Amino acid sequence: MLGVLGLLACQEAPQVEPPDLEVAAGAVPLGILAVSDLEPAVGETVRITAPYAGPWPVDLGWRGVDADRGITAHVVPSVPGPHEVSAGGIRTVLQVQAAANRWIPSVEVDLRPLPALAAPCKDRRYPRLVGHWAVGCGVEGWVDRLVDLATREVIVLDGGGRTPGVGTPGMLLALDERPARLWTLPAQVHASIPNPCAHPPVAPPALAGNEVAITTRHRVVRFRAGEAVARLQGADPLPWYPPALAGGFMAWVDGREREVTGTDVWAWDGGGKPVPVAREPGDQRHVAGSGHWLGWIDDRGVVVEDLVSGERSTVRAASGFRAGLTLWGPVACWEDRAGGSVDVACSDGLTIRGDQDQGWPSRWGPWLLLRVDGEVRLATARSLVLEDDDPRARPTAPRVAGGHGGAHRQGEVVWTFDWPAAGWCVDRWEADSTQGRWAPAGPLAVGEDVEVRHPGGDAVRLRPCGSEDA
Amino acid sequence: MTTKRLAAGLSVAWCLVVAGAFLDLDPDRTLAASPLLAGARSLVVALVALVACTGAGGALLARLSPGSLEVEAGWPRALATGLAAWGLLSLPWSLLFGVRSCPLLLVVLAAGWLFRPPVRLPRPGRVGLAALGLALVPALLGVLAPATSTDEIYYHVALPSRMLGSGHLAGGFLLPNGSRPLALHLPFAALVALGGEGATRAFCLLVGASTLVLVHRRARAWWGPAAGWMAPALLVGSFTFLGQAGVAGNDLVAGFLVLVAADALVEGAWLVPAALAAGGALAVKYTAAAPLLPLFLWAAASARRPRAVLRVLAAGGVAVLWVMPWWGWNVAGGLHPLFPYAGWGEVEGMVYSFPEKFGLGRDLAGWILLPWNAVMRAETDSTVFLGRVNPAFLALAPVAAVVAVRGDRRARALAFTAAGGCLLWAIGPQWLRYLLPSLPPAALACAAGLARLPAVGRWAAWLAWAVGIPANTGPVLAEAVEQAPVALGHESEEDYRARRIPGWTAVRWIRDETPPDARVALLFAWQASPLEREWILGSVEDHVPSRYLLATTGDRALDVLAGEGAEWLLVGTPRFLRKAYPFLSPEVLHAQFEAPVQAMTRLLEARAELVFEDGRYAVWHLPPATEAGRGEREKPPASGYSDRP
């Protein structure tokens, strides 16, 4: 017996225990309601969601809505003007407009092969765009080369990674070795940086500037490139889905309540505790981030939320996603199966359809990198139209009927966005009493947070300077 | 209590305390409790099962053929009879009471000991025990390690666990392995229930040990001590035998049952144990038919009187009858009796297996050189016979033939059995593991030949044996080295599986992220048992289930799977290399293998969602069939507006 007890007392191989999944205090810790349209038109159905962190079931005490189901509610405003909605002590004001743009214009593209990145990658999520670079693989299948889309220069990196993380403005991070390897594009040579995360990642890391976000088993980790100290929190991130960085938050697909609400999107600002962003029945997955926009896919379609204003728009999309979501600011692109085959659709009207398999989209600016039956192609938009109700627009006046798309602002509209392509110009839509036209407005700058203005409050069009449509 | 007893008790206690403390305080943590206790439990359960079978078999033979027990080989005959009975009774038992109650059948079998059958359990000598233990140490490590070999995790461990989980029998086009005779896999279910999956490995280990003990004792009794050592040495010196000793499988068990049948017919014409052992062997694995057919033919031919011939044929008939309930079970399920070996329907070009894939060619030169090639050029990790045997088999074959021809009746019977078994094996897939049922009779025949050699000849034979040891035991020892860390508790089972099972990260995703009652379809994948979920399809031969599904359902394949409740798909991307199928034209290879994979990929990308991928294995989520028509497939916003004036 004592010998048996001695045997039983022998140490066993260590087991990894999941941590306690603490959450930020408060029923709606983000302190903001997610609204499908903060400036809806009269008669438009507005969906409001409270990113709720408390126990179930829940009654948030909705006000100003037509119907509610726990953490979601609907309202159909009937008159223009401010309309207050509140739940859980948090209020938001809808600025109901008299008119709305009803059309998403089609976007014509030029589709060309990109032979420099023709070799298949071991990780099917590559090749992809990082700013104005297309990052892809050599014959070994490692992500080790890039094409500058502005100059078409091919740059081969020293080494590569099987599943690196990439991020704007042009960073590539490989964590498969220690120290970690960081490329600041277009530099060919990497910098060795410490990897303060002790555990192996379960998905490629997310990068935004110097900020790095990693998901590991039972943890989410953030650190700044070059620093040896990391911040971490207990979580239940799903393997394979990369995290995202947006608006100062790290977001990921979390499975802590998969038996109750399916997989959800949780976020962490790096200081406090994780908070739920989308904690609803169904599976929210494939998070992506760009600027202060966070996107994900749920059972209804593609969701993009402005983490600053709380505006959360949804585009209905057919189920069956192979590739994840790609974001350029608030513009989302995804694989679409509504037509019976696999196509690529974007929320700004850029679509690639055909009988072949169009998939694995990666979008930045006018460029869309995709694969057509496995062949890498680059689609370049011939023009892009930004409406006055674009999420990147900063309006100053109410919207009224008339103009491009069916509505326009009664004052100046300023758009702010990252623009990577040189040699483009801006046209403004100018309408008189009978019809409208595009009027040239000058060249478009290149860089981050580029501003475009329209004093007339209507749409602008971006196009290559000297193109026929001028 | 007397002082003497007290002192003895204290001494024992002190020894145990020292032993336990040494293990506990060992700075290197050489041994860990968890795997040792689990392994001990597995061994105990397997041993109890074998003893129970011996009791049941002994009770049965004591009524039907009492004289067959009153010899040294009484215990293996009792064991073989009990194994055959356990296999057969498992079918009606499972139908009546469910698979989860199978362990109770062991209690029924063990009740055979109440009838006090005159069975003497084997008592190997110390030297023999030491040699046996030493030879089977690698297999013992296998008992302590989790199952990771292909055949275990898609069939021999996966199927019993699956039936245990669901509580009922499995079979049909979605679970074709369940339509093979389950005479071993239902007993395996009982072993898994009582002792974990390691109990199946321990069971095979003990059956293998029983085979070695039996060939040693018979060879020694018939032809002397030299033969007594060579017979088991031939088996333990062959990768194909030794490599199976530490894994769950049916070849070793079939080989043991064939050996017992041969022994019963050769030594005294004991027809009852021969028939029952032969029937048990056929029900365990059809490849046992290869040596059994010539064995019974020899027995019939050597019978002196017509009545004796009829009795031999009747015994053969009983053996065939023993496996017929499994055919009847298939027919009752609307399947071909021999499904999955036959009965896949009229699918153009669909072939269950390609015998041409194995070996070194089936032309005239290949046939003539087959004995030489099978010994000299076999590879343990390729379709070039996929195994290895000791060269001493080939070295002793000529003298074994001479001895057989010159009048040794036992040697002639065994040589005829082995030769016939080898010939019939050669007609089918030339995979050396399928030759295993013929190896024990072959070992005995070769031992008989050794016994007739002068001393120098025996030394030469042992030299041939010794030369073959590195090539035959090397792969086994390499496998043991791989298993040692987890067997000794230095490595977690998780880490062990991660480095041994292809697609483990995908398997783990399913374990971690899907509900426990989720149903998983394995498409071009075979990692069934580690899923710990209810599964369908999986792989048989060249991914026949997946290919058949696509061939018969076309674009509805995923709808069919959704209708069967499979919400998660583990999908592999197999590579069908042309050089592995040189006998197929490129067009046929594409149509039979590459096109189905492409079709499946196309269907997945249209209907399912990729939720995980790592290398060649991916997990797809298949929405239930009802969701496909619920109206979610709305077109994106209309894009018909043109901004051109």
Side-chain angles (χ1 to χ4, degrees), chain B residues 75 120-126 129 213 217 220:
Chain B
W75 67 268
R120 282 174 293 167
L121 294 175
R123 290 181 186 176
R126 287 179 205 160
L129 204 57
V213 170
R217 294 201 154 184
R220 186 183 63 182

Side-chain angles (χ1 to χ4, degrees), chain B residues 52-53 55-57 59-60 80-99 101-112 169 181-188 190 276 279-280 283-284 321-326:
Chain B
C53 287
L60 201 60
T81 302
L83 286 174
W86 191 13
L88 183 67
L89 289 174
S90 293
L91 177 60
W93 184 279
S94 301
L95 290 173
L96 285 172
F97 306 114
V99 174
S101 68
C102 271
L104 292 177
L105 183 54
L106 271 178
V107 177
V108 174
L109 293 172
L169 299 177
L182 301 175
L184 185 61
H185 294 84
L186 283 172
F188 272 0
L276 297 179
V284 164
L321 278 173
W322 205 262
V323 78
M324 287 186 75
W326 303 104

Side-chain angles (χ1 to χ4, degrees), chain A residues 44-395:
Chain A
E44 175 183 332
T45 301
V46 181
R47 188 173 189 259
I48 311 111
T49 305
Y52 173 70
W56 307 102
V58 59
D59 180 3
L60 291 173
W62 290 92
R63 293 181 186 277
V65 299
D66 296 332
D68 71 87
R69 294 175 62 187
I71 61 170
T72 61
H74 291 87
V75 63
V76 182
S78 55
V79 293
H83 180 94
E84 183 176 302
V85 173
S86 67
I90 300 168
R91 58 185 285 273
T92 193
V93 179
L94 311 180
Q95 297 295 341
V96 184
Q97 305 292 312
N101 290 302
R102 298 295 182 193
W103 308 100
I104 297 177
S106 59
V107 176
E108 294 182 3
V109 300
D110 291 316
L111 195 61
R112 303 255 190 276
L114 202 58
L117 301 182
C121 297
K122 287 187 185 299
D123 188 327
R124 278 206 280 179
R125 292 170 285 200
Y126 289 86
R128 51 188 293 191
L129 292 180
V130 182
H132 62 88
W133 292 281
V135 177
C137 302
V139 293
E140 297 292 323
W142 293 74
V143 180
D144 64 359
R145 60 199 57 213
L146 50 110
V147 176
D148 187 329
L149 297 179
T151 64
R152 295 308 167 112
E153 180 188 2
V154 178
I155 300 168
V156 178
L157 305 176
D158 65 331
R162 186 177 180 274
T163 309
V166 293
T168 52
M171 318 284 278
L172 192 147
L173 177 67
L175 294 174
D176 44 6
E177 295 176 7
R178 288 184 182 272
R181 294 168 293 149
L182 178 70
W183 288 265
T184 303
L185 306 181
Q188 284 180 284
V189 179
H190 68 271
S192 294
I193 64 167
N195 177 2
C197 181
H199 303 287
V202 296
L207 278 79
N210 268 345
E211 195 71 21
V212 181
I214 298 174
T215 51
T216 71
R217 205 148 184 232
H218 303 313
R219 298 273 192 280
V220 291
V221 183
R222 295 183 68 162
F223 61 95
R224 292 188 180 279
E227 293 183 0
V229 177
R231 296 150 284 158
L232 45 82
Q233 283 288 322
D236 189 11
L238 261 69
W240 188 71
Y241 291 108
L245 285 165
F249 283 90
M250 167 192 180
W252 65 93
V253 180
D254 196 284
R256 70 186 68 196
E257 287 183 293
R258 59 175 68 80
E259 294 177 8
V260 178
T261 57
T263 58
D264 304 314
V265 175
W266 283 66
W268 175 42
D269 62 3
K273 295 293 182 187
V275 297
V277 174
R279 182 175 170 237
E280 307 166 39
D283 291 321
Q284 293 80 46
R285 63 266 189 205
H286 284 300
V287 291
S290 180
H292 53 90
W293 285 278
L294 182 68
W296 65 87
I297 290 168
D298 71 14
D299 294 345
R300 290 174 297 125
V302 175
V303 183
V304 179
E305 178 169 339
D306 183 340
L307 291 178
V308 174
S309 67
E311 189 167 79
R312 179 184 292 186
S313 60
T314 299
V315 178
R316 288 277 190 175
S319 65
F321 293 91
R322 176 185 49 184
L325 201 57
T326 175
L327 284 186
W328 166 51
V331 176
C333 299
W334 62 91
E335 288 182 340
D336 186 77
R337 285 161 175 78
S341 62
V342 184
D343 303 315
V344 171
C346 299
S347 57
D348 65 349
L350 195 159
T351 59
I352 311 288
R353 295 195 186 279
D355 293 334
Q356 296 164 297
D357 173 2
Q358 288 77 219
W360 299 100
S362 182
R363 175 77 186 270
W364 197 255
W367 298 303
L368 173 70
L369 190 71
L370 72 154
R371 275 164 261 171
V372 180
D373 277 350
E375 184 184 325
V376 178
R377 301 271 185 97
L378 181 70
T380 305
R382 290 183 186 165
S383 65
L384 292 171
V385 173
L386 276 61
E387 286 288 356
D388 51 86
D389 59 355
D390 190 282
R392 294 161 287 189
R394 193 170 63 244

Side-chain angles (χ1 to χ4, degrees), chain B residues 258 287-298 367 370 411-428 434-435 437-439 441-442 445:
Chain B
V258 167
T287 53
L292 287 173
L293 184 61
L295 173 67
F296 277 82
L297 283 176
W298 168 85
W367 285 108
L370 180 58
R412 182 183 308 129
L414 293 163
F416 186 77
T417 300
C422 290
L423 186 64
L424 291 172
W425 165 83
I427 296 172
Y434 292 167
L435 188 61
S438 303
L439 286 184

Side-chain angles (χ1 to χ4, degrees), chain B residues 147-195:
Chain B
T148 55
S149 72
T150 304
D151 282 11
E152 285 179 306
I153 69 176
Y154 95 85
Y155 180 24
H156 298 303
V157 173
L159 189 61
S161 300
R162 170 76 160 78
M163 293 189 291
L164 210 56
S166 65
H168 48 77
L169 299 177
F173 291 98
L174 293 178
L175 282 167
N177 281 330
S179 295
R180 306 189 208 228
L182 301 175
L184 185 61
H185 294 84
L186 283 172
F188 272 0
L191 293 173
V192 169
L194 294 173

Side-chain angles (χ1 to χ4, degrees), chain B residues 46 59 65 69 75 117 123 134 148 224 283 324 336 339 351 371 378 381 383 402 409 424 460 513 570 575 579 596:
Chain B
S65 178
L69 293 175
W75 67 268
R123 290 181 186 176
L134 194 66
T148 55
M324 287 186 75
H336 190 284
F339 188 82
V351 175
D381 55 358
T383 54
V402 168
R409 189 184 64 85
L424 291 172
E513 310 299 341
L570 175 62
R575 294 192 196 114
K579 66 178 182 180

Side-chain angles (χ1 to χ4, degrees), chain B residues 13-418:
Chain B
W14 175 244
C15 289
L16 290 175
V17 166
V18 168
F22 185 84
L23 285 170
D24 185 34
L25 299 174
D26 175 13
D28 294 325
R29 297 288 176 198
T30 310
L31 290 178
S34 177
L36 286 182
L37 289 174
R41 174 183 159 215
S42 299
L43 280 166
V44 166
V45 166
L47 192 61
V48 165
L50 291 175
V51 169
C53 287
T54 306
L60 201 60
L61 287 179
R63 292 295 296 263
L64 299 176
S65 178
S68 64
L69 293 175
E70 296 168 1
V71 291
E72 191 185 50
W75 67 268
R77 289 172 191 166
L79 174 58
T81 302
L83 286 174
W86 191 13
L88 183 67
L89 289 174
S90 293
L91 177 60
W93 184 279
S94 301
L95 290 173
L96 285 172
F97 306 114
V99 174
R100 293 191 188 120
S101 68
C102 271
L104 292 177
L105 183 54
L106 271 178
V107 177
V108 174
L109 293 172
W113 286 108
L114 296 176
F115 294 91
R116 298 179 181 275
V119 177
R120 282 174 293 167
L121 294 175
R123 290 181 186 176
R126 287 179 205 160
V127 176
L129 204 57
L132 193 67
L134 194 66
L136 296 178
V137 162
L140 193 61
L141 286 174
V143 172
L144 301 178
T148 55
S149 72
T150 304
D151 282 11
E152 285 179 306
I153 69 176
Y154 95 85
Y155 180 24
H156 298 303
V157 173
L159 189 61
S161 300
R162 170 76 160 78
M163 293 189 291
L164 210 56
S166 65
H168 48 77
L169 299 177
F173 291 98
L174 293 178
L175 282 167
N177 281 330
S179 295
R180 306 189 208 228
L182 301 175
L184 185 61
H185 294 84
L186 283 172
F188 272 0
L191 293 173
V192 169
L194 294 173
E197 62 180 39
T200 59
R201 296 179 144 198
F203 182 88
C204 293
L205 170 65
L206 293 174
V207 169
S210 303
T211 305
L212 295 173
V213 170
L214 183 56
V215 294
H216 164 67
R217 294 201 154 184
R218 288 326 235 171
R220 186 183 63 182
W222 294 339
W223 303 297
W229 287 113
M230 176 54 82
L234 283 168
L235 294 177
V236 92
S238 297
F239 167 82
T240 290
F241 181 93
L242 192 62
Q244 289 295 302
V247 298
N250 47 10
D251 299 281
L252 270 187
V253 179
F256 172 73
L257 292 168
V258 167
L259 174 65
V260 170
D263 172 78
L265 283 178
V266 164
E267 185 69 4
W270 298 105
L271 292 178
V272 171
L276 297 179
L282 285 175
V284 164
K285 187 142 190 174
Y286 288 147
T287 53
L292 287 173
L293 184 61
L295 173 67
F296 277 82
L297 283 176
W298 168 85
S302 60
R304 293 200 175 92
R305 287 173 289 180
R307 223 173 181 178
V309 173
L310 285 174
R311 281 205 286 264
V312 171
L313 294 176
V318 168
V320 174
L321 278 173
W322 205 262
V323 78
M324 287 186 75
W326 303 104
W327 300 345
W329 173 243
N330 275 352
V331 171
L335 299 168
H336 190 284
L338 295 176
F339 188 82
Y341 303 98
W344 285 92
E346 295 296 326
V347 177
E348 187 181 346
M350 177 68 69
V351 175
Y352 176 69
S353 71
F354 294 95
E356 308 93 314
K357 212 167 72 164
F358 299 96
L360 277 174
R362 301 174 89 89
D363 55 3
L364 183 62
W367 285 108
I368 293 171
L369 292 173
L370 180 58
W372 181 265
N373 287 338
V375 173
M376 298 300 175
R377 300 176 64 187
E379 296 175 5
T380 60
D381 55 358
S382 79
T383 54
V384 181
F385 301 109
L386 201 60
R388 193 169 284 150
V389 293
N390 196 283
F393 273 107
L394 190 62
L396 289 169
V399 69
V402 168
V403 166
V405 166
R406 280 197 175 178
D408 188 318
R409 189 184 64 85
R410 296 187 187 101
R412 182 183 308 129
L414 293 163
F416 186 77
T417 300

